Amino acid sequence: MECTLKLKYVLFFIGIYFICLINLSTLTLTAPSLVYFSQHLIQILPIMIALVEIIKGGTTLEELFVFFLLFSISLIIYFSSKNMQPIYFLLISFSFRKESISRIIQGFFITYTLLLVSILLLLKLGIVFSVTQYNDISNTIKISQGFVQPNSLGLVLFIILVSYLYIKTQRNEEKENKNILTFVGFFFEFVIVYLLYKSGVRSAQFAVIIAYSYYFIIKIKNKEMKRKILVSTTYLLFFSSILLSLFSLNNKVLSQSGIWHSLDGFFSYRFSMGYLYYLKSGLSFFGKPFSYLDNNIYQINITVDNFYQHVLLNLGLVSFFAILLYFMFTLNYIFKKNQLTLLIPFVSFIIYGLGESSIMYFYAGFIFYFIPLFYKDYNEMI
């Protein structure tokens, strides 16, 4: 069983590494054979992980019933939206439903750190190249550092930082190694924060500020006061993110003044782009195939970068409310089981979703693998 468990982790994170190395770097623009390999790996990897879990055994009839019910709904969503991500997430979250959340987060931290180092090394060797992106709308210039776009760099740095802050909070260092480990950790953290600052990716920067806020709140000694602050702040940020994403789907975001125009500008005009796409697409129960909107007032290809709007418009109302329920249940169990350090990545991802939809990919959105919290005996302390 231990061998099967290790195989599952090794397959999963090696697979994620190669998927991201190809899809998030400029290799996706210059190496069509690698892109072809990556597309097939994305399709095969979740199935392989699920097969390893089945071989391991230990699945109850109740778990099988819930799995096939959710799988049937995911299939309907796929046939309607042509998006396989709900199926991928289901297969992987089912496979890791009884595993250590800390171990999963540590795996993402190691994988994404190696990914960052690899792409920067490939950039130095001239195998990948930087893309300079100028946004006519927000009047900003961003450099990708070997990634296919600056936002991909921001995603990697964001995941590294929030997972590192979680690990740092959980870690119990030995006294004799504390000074040197603290220095190395501080230097590493400084480099990642500096790269994030230079990237100019505001969605990732804002979400990391939230992560640091939670990191410092969790260090408060008074447990009662700490818990009150965390509960009130978390639900305020959660409901604000959802409501802001929904209510921004109105024509006031296209105006040239007012609060909605200011909010739209702060989020690099994500809301007005989402509204324009909403006018074209409308709503559905099980989603619609996503397509770019090139004929619009901005005269650029418009995509929906707000995660909540993307789910609503691409995956439909059923997926949107399912994700809301998952978020609410997860938060409830985090507080109920006193797993407060999980708020660092969880709330950061919620905020990150306001400006980026990339967390809807199974190789990035690891907050959807917090299913172990739902089991009665889960009480992880490192």
Side-chain angles (χ1 to χ4, degrees), residues 26-27 30 121-129:
T26 53
L27 289 173
T30 60
L121 181 60
L122 292 177
L123 177 65
K124 191 72 175 176
L125 295 173
I127 297 174
V128 298
F129 57 91

Side-chain angles (χ1 to χ4, degrees), residues 229-277:
I229 294 172
L230 288 173
V231 171
S232 57
T233 304
T234 297
Y235 282 106
L236 174 64
L237 290 174
F238 170 62
F239 286 113
S240 297
S241 299
I242 302 302
L243 293 175
L244 185 60
S245 300
L246 290 177
F247 285 110
S248 64
L249 293 174
N250 71 79
N251 58 8
K252 292 181 180 179
V253 296
L254 300 179
S255 64
Q256 297 302 309
S257 62
I259 184 66
W260 283 112
H261 175 73
S262 299
L263 284 171
D264 192 32
F266 179 78
F267 287 100
S268 300
Y269 298 90
R270 268 26 175 210
F271 294 151
S272 53
M273 292 184 186
Y275 174 66
L276 289 172
Y277 193 88

Side-chain angles (χ1 to χ4, degrees), residues 33 161 264 296 348:
S33 59
L161 271 172
D264 192 32
N296 57 81
S348 301

Side-chain angles (χ1 to χ4, degrees), residues 64-238:
L64 284 174
F65 174 77
V66 173
F67 172 78
F68 282 112
L69 175 63
L70 294 175
F71 187 77
S72 300
I73 296 172
S74 298
L75 273 179
I76 296 172
I77 292 169
Y78 165 69
F79 288 131
S80 182
S81 68
K82 306 305 178 187
N83 192 327
M84 284 287 291
Q85 291 304 319
I87 294 177
Y88 296 153
F89 270 117
L90 177 62
L91 290 172
I92 295 169
S93 59
F94 170 77
S95 302
F96 285 99
R97 71 194 183 283
K98 294 181 181 178
E99 308 299 345
S100 162
I101 296 176
S102 292
R103 194 170 180 181
I104 294 170
I105 295 175
Q106 289 166 8
F108 271 91
F109 169 72
I110 294 169
T111 302
Y112 271 73
T113 301
L114 289 175
L115 174 69
L116 176 65
V117 172
S118 299
I119 293 179
L120 292 178
L121 181 60
L122 292 177
L123 177 65
K124 191 72 175 176
L125 295 173
I127 297 174
V128 298
F129 57 91
S130 283
V131 175
T132 301
Q133 186 179 79
Y134 176 71
N135 192 316
D136 292 316
I137 302 171
S138 58
N139 196 30
T140 56
I141 297 176
K142 296 182 283 190
I143 300 175
S144 72
Q145 302 295 346
F147 288 81
V148 67
Q149 57 177 323
N151 285 358
S152 299
L153 170 62
L155 170 68
V156 171
L157 295 172
F158 164 71
I159 288 179
I160 291 172
L161 271 172
V162 297
S163 56
Y164 174 74
L165 287 177
Y166 169 80
I167 295 167
K168 184 179 177 181
T169 305
Q170 290 283 72
R171 188 177 56 198
N172 183 19
E173 299 169 346
E174 297 180 6
K175 290 183 179 179
E176 59 268 24
N177 294 327
K178 188 171 183 179
N179 291 334
I180 187 168
L181 285 176
T182 300
F183 174 77
V184 172
F186 175 79
F187 179 74
F188 171 82
E189 200 172 339
F190 174 81
V191 170
I192 302 301
V193 170
Y194 176 76
L195 287 173
L196 182 60
Y197 167 74
K198 294 295 288 183
S199 73
V201 182
R202 286 192 288 179
S203 300
Q205 291 171 347
F206 186 51
V208 164
I209 291 173
I210 297 297
Y212 272 101
S213 301
Y214 271 81
Y215 170 73
F216 287 114
I217 293 172
I218 288 171
K219 293 172 77 70
I220 294 174
K221 299 296 183 183
N222 188 319
K223 292 184 179 180
E224 185 178 349
M225 183 175 71
K226 175 173 67 176
R227 189 175 182 86
K228 285 182 179 179
I229 294 172
L230 288 173
V231 171
S232 57
T233 304
T234 297
Y235 282 106
L236 174 64
L237 290 174
F238 170 62

